[in-house]
């Protein structure tokens, strides 16, 4: 190895992605994830205290990218039944999608969503579902997520003290076709009957 290569900064290496089941995470993993999520969602940092690496529903599967030991990108997935109109539907909720502030805008988020697609296939529900603000919708649409129009979603908001508050959200619902097409998505409002990831 050349002298220059030996002294190349570790940060120059590409992050390594892993998709890991929740039950395989160690306490150290939860702490590293919580620290990264608190950095990225800084107005929610009181949720990601210590080893609490989730805010609403705890995921069942995570996509995690690391530079060495440092978590630089993350997404959480969990299969859940939701009621859409009159239909009970198994979806995979996707949330806590985050790229560390210092690494944003470098393509890592795009790669994260490609890894999320593979995780959605692995979990086998027919649709991915998420909710996001107007400012980030373009990021998901570029990666193939489809907006639902004129749909209100009702869910229980997470709160640090455990209180459940019903929230009705009129905008920002997106689906990902996994084993079905958007034409098969039922008509009507979404009732989560609980928290989102
Ligand atoms: C949203 C986020 C995950 C994007 O990650 P990123 O690494 O900055 O995104 P990338 O650099 O990989 O961008 C991928 C593509 O999406 C586009 N994009 C990124 N952010 C976007 C945004 N807010 N709106 C529209 N397009 C966006 C990029 O231009 C790029 O497009 P291209 O492939 O045509 O070049 C990251 O900015 C983040 O963690 N933000 C704070 C947390 C957050 O808002 N998470 C989403 C919660 S629902």
């Amino acid at each position: 190895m050349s002298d220059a290569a030996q002294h190349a900064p570790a940060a120059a290496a590409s992050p390594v992605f892993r998709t890991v089941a929740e039950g395989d995470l160690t306490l150290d993993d939860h702490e590293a994830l919580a620290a990264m999520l608190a950095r990225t969602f800084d107005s929610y940092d009181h949720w990601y205290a210590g080893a609490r690496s989730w805010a609403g529903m705890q995921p069942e599967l995570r996509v995690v990218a690391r530079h060495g030991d440092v978590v630089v990108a993350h997404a959480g997935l969990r299969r859940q039944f939701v009621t859409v109109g009159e239909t009970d539907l198994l979806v995979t909720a996707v949330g806590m999608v985050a790229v560390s502030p210092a690494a944003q805008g470098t393509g890592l988020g795009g790669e994260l969503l490609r890894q999320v697609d593979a995780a959605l296939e692995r979990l086998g529900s027919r649709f991915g579902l998420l909710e996001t603000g107007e400012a980030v919708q373009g990021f998901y649409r570029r990666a193939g997520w489809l907006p639902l129009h004129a749909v209100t979603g009702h869910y229980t908001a997470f709160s640090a003290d455990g209180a459940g508050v019903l929230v009705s959200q009129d905008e920002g619902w997106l689906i990902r076709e996994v084993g079905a097409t958007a034409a098969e998505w039922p008509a009507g409002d979404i009732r989560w009957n609980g928290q989102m990831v």
Side-chain angles (χ1 to χ4, degrees):
M1 188 187 290
S2 74
D3 203 44
Q6 263 176 353
H7 296 288
S14 295
V16 176
F17 276 90
R18 273 180 71 216
T19 296
V20 53
E22 195 72 3
D24 291 335
L25 294 174
T26 65
L27 188 59
D28 284 352
D29 290 331
H30 281 293
E31 283 175 351
L33 291 168
M36 182 272 190
L37 291 166
R39 273 200 309 280
T40 308
F41 297 105
D42 55 351
S43 55
Y44 291 87
D45 60 358
H46 51 296
W47 266 269
Y48 299 113
R52 187 185 158 109
S53 62
W54 62 94
M57 184 65 80
Q58 190 172 355
E60 65 171 310
L61 194 67
R62 314 252 191 172
V63 177
V64 181
R66 292 181 189 254
H67 256 153
D69 287 341
V70 180
V71 176
V72 291
H74 170 270
L77 297 89
R78 177 162 201 111
R79 286 166 288 193
Q80 289 183 256
F81 275 98
V82 296
T83 307
V84 185
E86 300 299 319
T87 307
D88 285 337
L89 189 66
L90 181 66
V91 300
T92 301
V94 175
M96 297 188 291
V97 174
V99 170
S100 224
Q104 288 174 12
T106 64
L108 201 50
E111 179 55 27
L112 178 65
L113 291 188
R114 284 187 285 279
Q115 301 275 339
V116 165
D117 279 348
L120 286 169
E121 290 283 350
R122 170 173 158 182
L123 289 177
S125 83
R126 303 176 76 221
F127 291 103
L129 178 64
L130 61 77
E131 183 270 329
T132 189
E134 178 76 39
V136 191
Q137 281 193 22
F139 167 67
Y140 290 106
R141 292 172 74 151
R142 269 181 165 76
W145 286 77
L146 303 169
L148 295 173
H149 298 292
V151 167
T152 301
H154 309 273
Y155 64 95
T156 309
F158 47 78
S159 83
D161 62 5
V165 180
L166 191 66
V167 174
S168 297
Q169 176 72 38
D170 294 332
E171 302 284 340
W173 299 99
L174 289 96
I175 60 171
R176 183 77 172 123
E177 298 165 315
V178 186
T181 65
E184 296 170 71
W185 183 264
D189 286 353
I190 300 168
R191 293 182 191 280
W192 282 84
N193 303 310
Q195 294 181 334
M196 297 190 287
V197 169

